[in-house]
Coordinates of all heavy atoms in Angstrom, one line a residue:
L27 N 0.5 -9.8 10.2 CA 0.0 -8.9 11.2 C -0.7 -9.6 12.4 O -0.5 -9.2 13.5 CB -1.0 -7.9 10.5 CG -0.4 -6.9 9.5 CD1 -1.3 -6.3 8.6 CD2 0.4 -5.9 10.3
T30 N 2.1 -10.8 14.5 CA 2.7 -9.6 15.2 C 1.9 -9.3 16.4 O 2.4 -9.1 17.6 CB 2.8 -8.4 14.3 OG1 3.6 -8.8 13.2 CG2 3.4 -7.2 14.9
H31 N 0.5 -9.1 16.2 CA -0.3 -8.8 17.4 C -0.3 -9.8 18.5 O -0.2 -9.5 19.7 CB -1.8 -8.5 16.9 CG -2.0 -7.3 16.0 ND1 -1.7 -6.0 16.5 CD2 -2.4 -7.2 14.8 CE1 -1.9 -5.2 15.6 NE2 -2.3 -5.8 14.5
Q41 N -0.4 -1.5 22.4 CA -0.5 -1.0 21.0 C -1.0 0.5 21.1 O -2.0 0.8 21.7 CB -1.5 -1.9 20.2 CG -1.6 -1.4 18.8 CD -2.6 -2.2 18.0 OE1 -3.3 -3.1 18.5 NE2 -2.7 -1.9 16.7
L42 N -0.4 1.3 20.3 CA -0.9 2.7 20.1 C -1.4 2.9 18.7 O -1.1 2.1 17.8 CB 0.3 3.7 20.3 CG 1.1 3.6 21.6 CD1 2.1 4.8 21.6 CD2 0.3 3.6 22.8
M43 N -2.3 3.8 18.6 CA -2.8 4.1 17.3 C -1.8 5.1 16.5 O -1.1 5.8 17.2 CB -4.2 4.8 17.3 CG -5.3 3.9 18.0 SD -5.4 2.3 17.1 CE -6.3 2.8 15.6
P44 N -1.8 5.0 15.2 CA -0.8 5.9 14.5 C -1.3 7.3 14.5 O -2.4 7.6 14.7 CB -0.9 5.3 13.1 CG -2.2 4.6 13.0 CD -2.6 4.1 14.3
V45 N -0.3 8.2 14.4 CA -0.5 9.6 14.1 C 0.0 9.8 12.7 O 1.0 9.3 12.3 CB 0.1 10.7 15.1 CG1 -0.4 10.6 16.4 CG2 1.6 10.5 15.0
M46 N -0.8 10.7 11.9 CA -0.4 10.9 10.6 C 0.0 12.4 10.4 O 0.6 12.8 9.4 CB -1.5 10.5 9.6 CG -1.5 9.1 9.2 SD 0.1 8.5 8.5 CE -0.1 9.2 6.9
L47 N -0.5 13.2 11.2 CA -0.2 14.7 11.1 C 0.4 15.2 12.4 O -0.1 14.9 13.5 CB -1.6 15.4 11.0 CG -2.3 15.5 9.7 CD1 -3.7 16.1 9.8 CD2 -1.5 16.2 8.6
T51 N 8.3 15.4 12.7 CA 8.4 14.0 12.3 C 9.8 13.7 12.2 O 10.7 14.6 12.3 CB 7.5 13.8 11.0 OG1 7.4 12.3 10.8 CG2 8.2 14.4 9.8
D52 N 10.1 12.5 11.8 CA 11.5 12.0 11.6 C 12.1 12.8 10.5 O 11.6 12.9 9.4 CB 11.3 10.5 11.2 CG 12.6 9.7 11.1 OD1 13.7 10.4 11.0 OD2 12.6 8.5 11.3
L72 N 3.4 15.2 7.4 CA 2.9 13.9 7.3 C 3.9 12.9 7.9 O 5.1 13.1 7.6 CB 2.5 13.5 5.9 CG 1.5 14.4 5.1 CD1 1.3 13.8 3.7 CD2 0.2 14.4 5.9
T73 N 3.5 12.0 8.6 CA 4.5 11.1 9.4 C 5.4 10.4 8.4 O 5.0 9.7 7.6 CB 3.7 10.1 10.3 OG1 3.0 10.9 11.2 CG2 4.6 9.2 11.0
K74 N 6.7 10.5 8.7 CA 7.8 9.8 8.0 C 8.1 8.5 8.8 O 8.4 7.5 8.3 CB 9.0 10.6 7.8 CG 8.7 11.8 6.8 CD 10.0 12.4 6.4 CE 9.8 13.6 5.4 NZ 9.6 14.9 6.0
S75 N 8.2 8.7 10.1 CA 8.1 7.6 11.1 C 7.7 8.1 12.4 O 7.9 9.3 12.6 CB 9.5 6.8 11.2 OG 10.2 7.3 12.3
M76 N 7.2 7.3 13.3 CA 6.7 7.8 14.6 C 7.8 7.8 15.7 O 7.4 7.9 16.8 CB 5.5 7.0 15.0 CG 4.2 7.6 14.4 SD 2.7 6.7 15.0 CE 2.7 7.0 16.7
I77 N 9.0 7.8 15.2 CA 10.1 7.7 16.2 C 10.0 8.7 17.4 O 10.0 8.4 18.5 CB 11.5 7.8 15.5 CG1 12.6 8.0 16.6 CG2 11.6 8.9 14.5 CD1 12.8 6.9 17.5
L78 N 9.7 10.0 17.0 CA 9.7 11.0 18.1 C 8.5 10.8 19.0 O 8.5 11.0 20.2 CB 9.7 12.4 17.5 CG 10.9 12.7 16.5 CD1 10.8 14.1 15.9 CD2 12.2 12.5 17.2
H79 N 7.4 10.4 18.4 CA 6.2 10.1 19.2 C 6.3 8.9 20.0 O 5.8 8.8 21.1 CB 4.9 10.0 18.2 CG 4.6 11.3 17.6 ND1 5.3 11.7 16.5 CD2 3.7 12.2 17.9 CE1 4.8 12.9 16.1 NE2 3.8 13.2 17.0
K80 N 7.1 7.9 19.5 CA 7.4 6.7 20.3 C 8.2 7.1 21.6 O 7.8 6.8 22.7 CB 8.2 5.7 19.5 CG 7.5 4.9 18.4 CD 8.2 3.7 18.0 CE 9.5 3.9 17.3 NZ 10.2 2.7 16.9
I92 N 6.0 -0.4 23.5 CA 4.8 0.0 22.7 C 5.0 -0.5 21.2 O 6.2 -0.7 20.8 CB 4.6 1.5 22.7 CG1 5.9 2.2 22.3 CG2 4.1 2.0 24.0 CD1 5.7 3.7 22.0
Y93 N 3.9 -0.6 20.5 CA 4.1 -0.8 19.1 C 2.9 -0.1 18.3 O 1.8 0.1 18.9 CB 4.2 -2.3 18.7 CG 2.9 -3.0 18.8 CD1 2.3 -3.4 17.6 CD2 2.3 -3.4 20.0 CE1 1.1 -4.1 17.6 CE2 1.2 -4.2 20.0 CZ 0.5 -4.5 18.8 OH -0.6 -5.2 18.8
I94 N 3.1 0.2 17.1 CA 2.1 0.8 16.3 C 2.2 0.3 14.8 O 3.3 0.1 14.3 CB 2.3 2.4 16.2 CG1 2.6 3.0 17.5 CG2 1.2 3.1 15.4 CD1 4.0 3.6 17.6
V95 N 1.1 -0.1 14.3 CA 1.1 -0.4 12.8 C 0.9 1.0 12.2 O -0.2 1.6 12.2 CB 0.0 -1.3 12.4 CG1 0.1 -1.6 10.9 CG2 0.1 -2.6 13.2
S96 N 2.0 1.6 11.7 CA 2.1 3.0 11.4 C 2.3 3.3 9.9 O 3.3 2.9 9.3 CB 3.3 3.5 12.2 OG 3.6 4.8 11.9
P97 N 1.3 4.0 9.3 CA 1.5 4.4 7.9 C 2.5 5.5 7.9 O 2.5 6.4 8.7 CB 0.1 4.9 7.5 CG -0.9 4.6 8.6 CD 0.0 4.4 9.9
N98 N 3.3 5.5 6.9 CA 4.4 6.5 6.7 C 4.3 7.0 5.3 O 4.0 6.2 4.3 CB 5.8 5.9 6.9 CG 6.1 5.5 8.4 OD1 7.2 5.1 8.6 ND2 5.1 5.6 9.3
I99 N 4.6 8.3 5.2 CA 4.7 8.9 3.8 C 6.1 9.4 3.7 O 6.6 10.2 4.5 CB 3.8 10.2 3.7 CG1 2.3 9.8 3.9 CG2 4.0 10.9 2.3 CD1 1.6 9.0 2.8
R100 N 6.8 8.9 2.7 CA 8.2 9.4 2.4 C 8.2 9.6 0.9 O 8.3 8.6 0.1 CB 9.2 8.3 2.8 CG 9.2 8.1 4.3 CD 10.3 7.1 4.7 NE 10.2 6.8 6.1 CZ 10.9 6.0 6.8 NH1 11.9 5.4 6.2 NH2 10.8 5.8 8.1
I114 N 6.4 5.2 -1.7 CA 6.3 6.5 -1.1 C 5.2 6.5 0.0 O 5.2 7.4 0.8 CB 6.0 7.6 -2.1 CG1 4.7 7.3 -2.9 CG2 7.2 7.8 -3.0 CD1 4.3 8.5 -3.9
E115 N 4.4 5.5 0.1 CA 3.5 5.3 1.2 C 3.6 3.8 1.6 O 3.4 3.0 0.7 CB 2.0 5.7 0.8 CG 1.1 5.4 2.0 CD -0.4 5.6 1.6 OE1 -0.7 6.2 0.5 OE2 -1.2 5.1 2.3
F116 N 3.9 3.6 2.8 CA 4.0 2.2 3.3 C 3.6 2.1 4.8 O 3.3 3.2 5.4 CB 5.4 1.7 3.1 CG 6.4 2.4 4.0 CD1 6.8 1.9 5.2 CD2 7.0 3.6 3.5 CE1 7.7 2.6 6.0 CE2 7.9 4.3 4.3 CZ 8.3 3.8 5.5
S117 N 3.6 0.9 5.3 CA 3.3 0.8 6.8 C 4.5 0.1 7.4 O 5.0 -0.9 6.9 CB 2.0 0.0 7.0 OG 0.9 0.8 6.6
Q118 N 4.9 0.6 8.6 CA 5.8 -0.2 9.4 C 5.2 -0.5 10.7 O 4.4 0.2 11.3 CB 7.2 0.6 9.5 CG 7.1 1.9 10.3 CD 8.6 2.4 10.5 OE1 9.5 1.7 10.9 NE2 8.7 3.7 10.3
V119 N 5.7 -1.7 11.3 CA 5.4 -2.0 12.7 C 6.5 -1.3 13.4 O 7.6 -1.8 13.4 CB 5.3 -3.5 12.9 CG1 5.1 -3.8 14.4 CG2 4.1 -4.1 12.1
D120 N 6.2 -0.3 14.1 CA 7.2 0.5 14.9 C 7.1 0.2 16.3 O 6.0 0.1 16.9 CB 6.8 2.0 14.7 CG 8.0 2.8 14.2 OD1 9.2 2.4 14.5 OD2 7.8 3.9 13.7
I121 N 8.2 -0.2 16.9 CA 8.3 -0.8 18.3 C 9.3 0.0 19.1 O 10.3 0.5 18.6 CB 8.8 -2.2 18.2 CG1 8.0 -3.0 17.2 CG2 8.8 -2.9 19.5 CD1 8.7 -4.3 16.7
E122 N 9.0 0.2 20.4 CA 10.0 0.8 21.3 C 9.9 0.1 22.6 O 8.8 -0.1 23.2 CB 9.6 2.3 21.4 CG 10.7 3.2 21.9 CD 11.8 3.4 20.8 OE1 11.6 3.1 19.6 OE2 12.9 3.8 21.3
G275 N 12.8 0.1 16.9 CA 12.9 0.0 15.5 C 11.6 -0.3 14.8 O 10.6 -0.4 15.5
G276 N 11.6 -0.3 13.5 CA 10.4 -0.6 12.8 C 10.6 -1.4 11.6 O 11.6 -1.2 10.9
F277 N 9.8 -2.5 11.4 CA 9.9 -3.3 10.2 C 8.8 -2.9 9.2 O 7.7 -2.7 9.6 CB 10.0 -4.8 10.5 CG 8.7 -5.5 10.8 CD1 7.8 -5.9 9.9 CD2 8.4 -5.7 12.2 CE1 6.7 -6.5 10.2 CE2 7.2 -6.4 12.5 CZ 6.4 -6.7 11.6
G278 N 9.2 -2.8 7.9 CA 8.3 -2.5 6.9 C 7.4 -3.7 6.6 O 7.9 -4.7 6.3
V279 N 6.1 -3.5 6.7 CA 5.2 -4.6 6.4 C 5.3 -5.1 5.0 O 5.4 -6.3 4.7 CB 3.7 -4.2 6.8 CG1 2.7 -5.3 6.4 CG2 3.6 -3.8 8.3
E280 N 5.2 -4.2 4.1 CA 5.3 -4.5 2.6 C 6.6 -5.2 2.3 O 6.7 -6.1 1.5 CB 5.1 -3.3 1.7 CG 3.7 -2.7 1.8 CD 3.5 -1.7 3.0 OE1 4.5 -1.6 3.8 OE2 2.5 -1.0 3.0

Side-chain angles (χ1 to χ4, degrees):
L27 290 165
T30 300
H31 289 301
Q41 183 181 5
L42 306 187
M43 296 307 283
V45 295
M46 279 303 285
L47 282 174
T51 193
D52 191 335
L72 300 183
T73 297
K74 294 191 178 90
S75 97
M76 274 183 63
I77 169 63
L78 305 176
H79 293 78
K80 287 197 296 179
I92 52 165
Y93 77 104
I94 312 117
V95 182
S96 170
N98 290 182
I99 301 287
R100 299 182 184 180
I114 57 172
E115 178 186 344
F116 64 94
S117 290
Q118 64 171 315
V119 174
D120 229 339
I121 307 161
E122 203 66 21
F277 74 84
V279 175
E280 295 85 350

